[in-house]
Amino acid sequence: SEDPDRKLLADVVRKTVYADFKELVENYDPRVLGFEGHTPNDICEYLGTFYDEEKQKKYRAVAIEIAVCDGQV
């Protein structure tokens, strides 16, 4: 079960800024992004529901890769 109060300790491994979601998605396997079985276009359309093209141009798209640390917070 999911506990909304559960915390996760992680290290940021890499932060990469892309021009938009299309560029971000082109650089990752859909499985890594949590979209196994989906096309890059499907992924971009879904992500676009949060940030439309105008916001992507303004803020760009940021990929933050993490490594989960052992232990509890």
Side-chain angles (χ1 to χ4, degrees), residues 12-43:
V12 173
V13 176
R14 180 181 300 122
K15 179 183 92 169
T16 309
V17 180
Y18 295 97
D20 53 27
F21 291 138
K22 182 178 184 290
E23 184 182 16
L24 185 153
V25 169
E26 288 173 348
N27 284 279
Y28 289 90
D29 184 301
R31 290 177 292 173
V32 173
L33 298 173
F35 290 97
E36 184 173 5
H38 294 273
T39 67
N41 189 57
D42 290 341
I43 299 167

Side-chain angles (χ1 to χ4, degrees), residues 29-59:
D29 184 301
R31 290 177 292 173
V32 173
L33 298 173
F35 290 97
E36 184 173 5
H38 294 273
T39 67
N41 189 57
D42 290 341
I43 299 167
C44 289
E45 283 185 22
Y46 176 74
L47 295 175
T49 64
F50 299 99
Y51 282 91
D52 60 24
E53 288 183 27
E54 183 179 312
K55 286 184 179 176
Q56 291 176 56
K57 286 179 184 175
K58 182 175 181 178
Y59 300 112

